Amino acid sequence: GSGGFRKRKHDNFPHGQRREEKENVNPPSALMSSFKSFQLELDTRHDKYERLVKLSRDITIESKRTIFLLHRFTSAPNGEEILSESEVKLDAVRRKIKQVAQELIGEDMYQFHRAISPGLQEYVEAVSFQYFIKTRSLISVEEINKQLIFTAEDREETTNMTSNSHDKEPHTWSLKITPVDYLLGVADLTGELMRLCISSVGNGDIDTPFELSQFLRQIYDGFTFIGNTGPYEVSKKLYTLKQSLAKVENACYTLKVRGSEIPKHMLADVFSTKTELIDQEEGLP
Amino acid sequence: QEIRKEVQALEQTAREILTLLQGVHQGPGFQHIPKKCQKAREHFGTVRTQMESLKTKFPADQYYRFHEHWRFVLQRLVFLAAFVVYLESETLVTREAVAEILGIEADRERGFHLDIEDYLSGVLTLASELSRLAVNSVTAGDYSRPLRISTFINELDSGFRLLNLKNDSLRKRYDGLKYDVKKIEEVVYDLSIRGLNKEATVGAGGEK
């Protein structure tokens, strides 16, 4: 028979023949026993991955809640309260991150990076948002990483996971945010700042929008400086960033032009219609 | 960027080895199998040097950061190594042996290593190559080889069924394995129905 096989149904095989192979395999051959160990290895890895994904989801949810909480922050008297509450929440998030760090001890962080990346980005967003509200400036990667060192204070270069071999007791873990995660988190932050800007207008706060528009412009300039040399995801965010910036700039423009004419309580109306539009465009809560 | 350059060089070598081994599919190629394996092994020497220089291009603890860059070529090299070993001894190459042939480590602790998923992917490629070989060896008049391949692939299939795969690329590749199994079964069936094999019963199974 040279080639020319017709597709045959399986029924063509007498049943007796098919049991044979089962018996051949029963004595554990070298191949089977090596596959047994592969099974173990893969299962271990998948379990770890799933645990990390779950942690990452929790981190995402908690961070989002923190951001919502911070949105209620208006220079109102309870501002301090909200800030301290957000701090408590972020501590809870950090505890989760600590668990992530523990999972990753002795592992190559990049192997599981995709499992934890979304959570870390969201955390960056929350932490930088809080930082902005406090200080009106942008938190640095180093600043973030400093808060992610658990049970010790020392940190080595180049490793994402540190277990100190020298001069400290061997219980130091730190999780380092990768630069890309940081950038993406900051890009998301701009969306939050845009909302903050619109809502502050609604509250009749005339100064904040101008501060924000300046701040956003700086971030935007930073991103355009990176341009398309960065990873693909960053370029995608750049577009959204541009939109956020435009919205904030327009808000400032409106304020400038009409601020002198319209009484404050009516400003709120003008912008509340705008906010609805923005929410529709965002598509994501 | 530098990693990419190294990987391209590796791909080039891999292509050469593949071309070399493709020779076994042509009728007269069967007599030259040992010689071809010999040559292929020489090429793996080149692979080892290229691997060495790839290792110097990134920090050892960031293997998975750049994993995507060489993943594909590594799987291909695993397949080639496994193919050579199969042609020589008709057994499945172990992970350690592959690592040795490629001049890398078998586990992560010791540097540039062979990821288990990449190893398994390479092995799956071997299965489809062998189902081709079964067909072509019949054409070349070698009627006993398909039976041996059949036994081998069935065992491989049982091995893979031990694994709990996730829905990823490996799983997709594994789903292709049953077609290879089926193909070989058909070859064996064709042979046995025409009395071209000496054993009356041939173990064939693994249909899902």
Side-chain angles (χ1 to χ4, degrees), chain A residues 230-249:
Chain A
Y232 165 71
E233 298 102 320
V234 174
S235 337
K236 265 201 308 194
K237 295 260 182 198
L238 196 56
Y239 175 73
T240 325
L241 179 53
K242 200 170 176 175
Q243 283 185 316
S244 298
L245 181 63
K247 281 173 195 162
V248 171
E249 284 175 340

Side-chain angles (χ1 to χ4, degrees), chain A residues 235-274:
Chain A
S235 337
K236 265 201 308 194
K237 295 260 182 198
L238 196 56
Y239 175 73
T240 325
L241 179 53
K242 200 170 176 175
Q243 283 185 316
S244 298
L245 181 63
K247 281 173 195 162
V248 171
E249 284 175 340
N250 283 332
C252 291
Y253 165 86
T254 317
L255 277 178
K256 260 275 185 276
V257 173
R258 306 199 190 166
S260 46
E261 314 163 6
I262 306 182
K264 269 189 190 163
H265 65 271
M266 293 198 38
L267 263 184
D269 292 345
V270 172
F271 279 105
S272 62
T273 52
K274 275 209 173 173

Side-chain angles (χ1 to χ4, degrees), chain A residues 69-130:
Chain A
L69 175 77
L70 287 167
H71 268 300
R72 293 200 288 274
F73 176 87
T74 44
S75 329
N78 68 344
E80 280 310 310
E81 238 171 87
I82 286 197
L83 271 184
S84 61
E85 200 181 328
S86 73
E87 194 55 44
V88 172
K89 272 191 185 292
L90 284 178
D91 272 335
V93 176
R94 277 192 280 271
R95 271 200 298 281
K96 290 263 185 230
I97 295 180
K98 179 175 174 176
Q99 287 177 14
V100 170
Q102 280 165 327
E103 286 281 2
L104 288 175
I105 287 175
E107 298 282 356
D108 183 335
M109 178 179 172
Y110 288 98
Q111 185 177 357
F112 297 100
H113 188 230
R114 293 174 71 165
I116 54 174
S117 180
L120 290 182
Q121 287 173 32
E122 204 67 39
Y123 171 74
V124 169
E125 193 182 341
V127 127
S128 55
F129 191 42
Q130 186 205 37

Side-chain angles (χ1 to χ4, degrees), chain B:
Chain B
Q1 215 52 47
E2 300 211 334
I3 292 174
R4 228 166 263 159
K5 259 216 303 270
E6 295 297 334
V7 169
Q8 269 162 5
L10 276 171
E11 278 167 353
Q12 184 55 44
T13 316
R15 272 196 293 276
E16 283 165 22
I17 299 174
L18 185 62
T19 316
L20 190 67
L21 292 176
Q22 286 305 312
V24 299
H25 288 297
Q26 286 145 18
F30 286 98
Q31 291 88 51
H32 307 308
I33 285 182
K35 210 187 293 176
K36 285 189 192 304
C37 291
Q38 195 67 47
K39 277 212 187 109
R41 280 193 179 267
E42 285 162 24
H43 278 292
F44 275 115
T46 319
V47 171
R48 279 192 288 273
T49 34
Q50 285 167 334
M51 280 288 177
E52 283 307 321
S53 72
L54 175 59
K55 282 180 209 173
T56 60
K57 298 290 184 262
F58 67 97
D61 58 1
Q62 301 200 349
Y63 178 89
Y64 284 99
R65 182 173 184 178
F66 305 108
H67 189 197
E68 292 303 318
H69 290 297
W70 57 73
R71 191 167 202 161
F72 182 76
V73 75
L74 200 55
Q75 288 174 4
R76 170 138 286 209
L77 288 167
V78 169
F79 150 63
L80 292 169
F83 196 30
V84 170
V85 170
Y86 180 82
L87 290 173
E88 287 169 344
S89 65
E90 308 215 336
T91 53
L92 176 68
V93 69
T94 60
R95 201 168 145 201
E96 291 72 22
V98 177
E100 200 180 322
I101 291 172
L102 303 180
I104 55 181
E105 299 294 345
D107 58 20
R108 206 170 68 79
E109 273 62 46
R110 295 204 300 265
F112 194 102
H113 68 289
L114 173 59
D115 187 276
I116 184 168
E117 291 180 25
D118 294 341
Y119 165 74
L120 292 173
S121 282
V123 170
L124 285 170
T125 314
L126 173 69
S128 41
E129 189 66 19
L130 288 181
S131 71
R132 257 190 76 204
L133 186 64
V135 171
N136 292 326
S137 51
V138 172
T139 317
D142 179 351
Y143 297 142
S144 60
R145 185 178 286 274
L147 305 183
R148 294 198 303 276
I149 291 180
S150 166
T151 316
F152 178 77
I153 296 240
N154 275 316
E155 199 177 1
L156 209 57
D157 186 48
S158 326
F160 270 97
R161 262 180 288 161
L162 283 179
L163 308 176
N164 312 310
L165 296 171
K166 275 202 314 188
N167 262 329
D168 53 10
S169 60
L170 189 60
R171 168 69 194 275
K172 282 199 195 77
R173 308 273 305 268
Y174 164 70
D175 287 343
L177 179 62
K178 60 174 179 288
Y179 298 108
D180 300 325
V181 172
K182 195 163 180 299
K183 182 89 204 162
I184 294 187
E185 276 180 2
E186 284 172 358
V187 175
V188 171
Y189 175 79
D190 278 336
L191 289 178
S192 53
I193 212 168
R194 292 170 179 74
L196 292 171
N197 60 332
K198 293 168 189 63
E199 305 156 56
T201 54
V202 176
E207 193 78 13
K208 283 153 295 252

